[in-house]
Amino acid sequence: MSTLPAPEQAREWLATMTLIRRFEERAGEMYARAKVGGFLHLSIGEEATIVGSARALREEDYLISTYRSHGHALVRGTPPENVMAELFGRVDGCSGGRGGSMHMFDLARRFMGGYGIVGGNLPIAAGIALASDYQDTDEVTLCTFGDGASNQGTFGETLNLAALWHLPVVFMVTNNQFGMGTALRRHSAVTDLQRKGESLGVPGMRCDGMDVLDTHAVLAQAIRRVREDRRPVLVEAVTYRFRGHSMADPEQYRSKEEVAHWRERDPIPAFADLLVREGVIEEAERQLIDEEAIARVDRAVAFADASPFPTPESLYDDVYVLDPEVRGWYSVETADERASEEAEIGEQAAAGGARTDGSGQAANDEIPQQLTQALAAGEDGGESPEAAAGAGAGESAEAAG
């Protein structure tokens, strides 16, 4: 058995796993009450994988996740209030209410997202790792993805490039036994997932994803190897999700007996029992940790419910290029900045002048509008449909003449 961490650290691990569990349970309830739109993917049962792996990282390391990412945001330190507000689509959400369940993001804590595309985060992880190497840091990127994503083209392409360029990435495949509703043995010819990177030059390791201690020990070793050798490693975390793939999943592909069997290995009570046996916590403290988690989630729901929705005026914020009838702007600008600039332009226009210098809106509009026009003309650089139609009309008139 892996060695227990220091008592305070062990308590924090248990508290964080418990917070994730209670948060996810409440998120499911809020989805049922129509407080949450879109899809909702819960990580109930996978808490040891989340906490054990993240606690092996340094603060300056990067973590990039999948669409099942609420727990990853929480483990990196994003307040539950902001995570719940994001689920509710409110302005105080960690992505401003624009990402929802699948697109959590917290740059300040180096949590690089939640991604809705299966396997879409792998190339991004390689890019982050390349940036770390380019800047000559010893940062490591932890990229988590599901067993189903190991069949995507991005898996092979990214691992090949990471090995070729010696990128500091730990790829952790969260093997929860199902790619959506398809069992591992039915969607992957190789079910020993730790070996799927060997032919690409990426060695593999495996951890018990239902055991926070084993997960932490294996990931700590993998991260240390990657940090020192600057070469990628693939880790398979064998775990299980107790809920469906998403809230819309009828779960007809597995039996209740199978789920009950895995629930016997629930990572939270298993770790709590161990801490009680080892004298790290008392039974009363175990109960208090759970009560505090529930209270924290209660406050998160109240906060999210009180947070406003984004205003209609902010609809085009963070949109890089718009159609020709709406001015384009750079994504770093905000609605407030645009309102200030537009007021200044109006004042200058009333005075008989127009601001067209490098700091003005006219100059700022030029590149986005050029891109908009180029897109309208077609990616191949051909004529726009209007221009083509005009040319055709001219040729017809010439022929008729």
Side-chain angles (χ1 to χ4, degrees):
M1 185 182 71
S2 301
T3 306
L4 275 173
E8 282 305 312
Q9 190 177 13
R11 292 188 189 96
E12 189 275 326
W13 290 6
L14 177 61
T16 302
M17 287 197 293
T18 304
L19 174 62
I20 294 171
R21 174 68 59 87
R22 294 309 188 191
F23 184 96
E24 295 287 65
E25 290 172 344
R26 189 64 59 84
E29 293 175 11
M30 293 300 102
Y31 184 89
R33 296 181 185 181
K35 291 286 188 179
V36 179
F39 289 96
L40 186 72
H41 305 84
L42 304 178
S43 58
I44 295 174
E46 300 180 7
E47 295 88 355
T49 299
I50 295 169
V51 174
S53 61
R55 289 298 174 260
L57 294 169
R58 297 176 182 173
E59 285 189 8
E60 64 268 24
D61 292 332
Y62 292 94
L63 172 62
I64 186 167
S65 179
T66 67
Y67 45 79
R68 201 181 306 278
S69 63
H70 317 151
H72 292 101
L74 293 171
V75 79
R76 283 303 262 179
T78 307
E81 291 82 357
N82 301 116
V83 180
M84 190 66 76
E86 187 60 39
L87 290 178
F88 280 32
R90 308 302 177 94
V91 296
D92 292 306
C94 57
S95 297
R98 313 239 174 197
S101 171
M102 296 193 288
H103 300 97
M104 300 287 165
F105 189 84
D106 193 338
L107 179 60
R109 295 172 175 84
R110 299 207 165 186
F111 174 55
M112 308 307 287
Y115 285 87
I117 303 300
V118 176
N121 60 333
L122 278 85
I124 298 172
I128 296 170
L130 177 60
S132 296
D133 257 11
Y134 190 79
Q135 297 178 72
D136 198 25
T137 73
D138 66 349
E139 301 159 348
V140 169
T141 296
L142 173 61
C143 175
T144 73
F145 53 97
D147 49 282
S150 69
N151 301 320
Q152 293 288 95
T154 51
F155 174 83
E157 294 168 1
T158 303
L159 266 66
N160 176 67
L161 199 63
L164 181 65
W165 288 356
H166 298 179
L167 299 182
V169 189
V170 175
F171 296 102
M172 186 177 77
V173 53
T174 304
N175 178 9
N176 62 21
Q177 314 304 312
F178 294 95
M180 295 186 69
T182 305
L184 175 63
R185 66 183 183 279
R186 297 182 59 223
H187 74 65
S188 180
V190 176
T191 57
D192 187 3
L193 299 185
Q194 64 174 322
R195 302 191 63 182
K196 290 189 82 167
E198 290 178 354
S199 65
L200 302 168
V202 180
M205 305 171 68
R206 177 185 286 141
C207 68
D208 181 356
M210 303 299 281
D211 181 344
V212 68
L213 294 178
D214 189 63
T215 299
H216 180 267
V218 173
L219 265 294
Q221 180 183 354
I223 290 169
R224 183 171 58 252
R225 286 175 57 182
V226 169
R227 197 184 309 278
E228 294 174 356
D229 300 341
R230 312 311 283 176
R231 291 175 180 270
V233 169
L234 174 65
V235 177
E236 176 188 6
V238 181
T239 184
Y240 197 84
R241 53 174 169 77
F242 297 159
R243 298 286 186 92
H245 170 72
S246 73
M247 289 294 292
D249 183 359
E251 299 188 64
Q252 296 179 347
Y253 49 85
R254 62 182 184 180
S255 67
K256 293 180 179 179
E257 291 75 19
E258 178 181 329
V259 178
H261 171 72
W262 279 91
R263 279 188 177 274
E264 293 175 1
R265 299 191 58 219
D266 192 321
I268 297 177
F271 188 54
D273 288 345
L274 175 62
L275 296 187
V276 171
R277 288 197 307 270
E278 295 295 324
V280 177
I281 62 173
E282 300 289 339
E283 188 63 41
E285 185 176 0
R286 172 182 183 168
Q287 182 64 30
L288 180 62
I289 288 172
D290 189 45
E291 291 172 357
E292 289 176 346
I294 293 172
R296 186 73 191 275
V297 173
D298 286 342
R299 294 194 296 271
V301 171
F303 175 88
D305 221 12
S307 178
F309 287 102
T311 63
E313 293 77 19
S314 70
L315 179 63
Y316 295 112
D317 281 3
D318 306 317
V319 176
Y320 187 65
V321 179
L322 303 175
D323 65 63
E325 296 182 3
V326 182
R327 283 204 305 269
W329 50 74
Y330 293 106
S331 61
V332 295
E333 294 184 326
T334 66
D336 290 341
E337 290 171 342
R338 290 199 308 278
S340 176
E341 285 194 348
E342 288 168 359
E344 185 179 344
I345 292 170
E347 292 173 2
Q348 292 188 7
R355 190 178 70 175
T356 58
D357 60 20
S359 63
Q361 184 67 43
N364 282 345
D365 276 348
E366 183 178 349
I367 292 176
Q369 285 301 312
Q370 289 175 352
L371 290 170
T372 300
Q373 292 161 8
L375 290 171
E379 293 184 356
D380 60 354
E383 293 181 319
S384 67
E386 293 80 1
E395 291 171 359
S396 299
E398 189 176 59

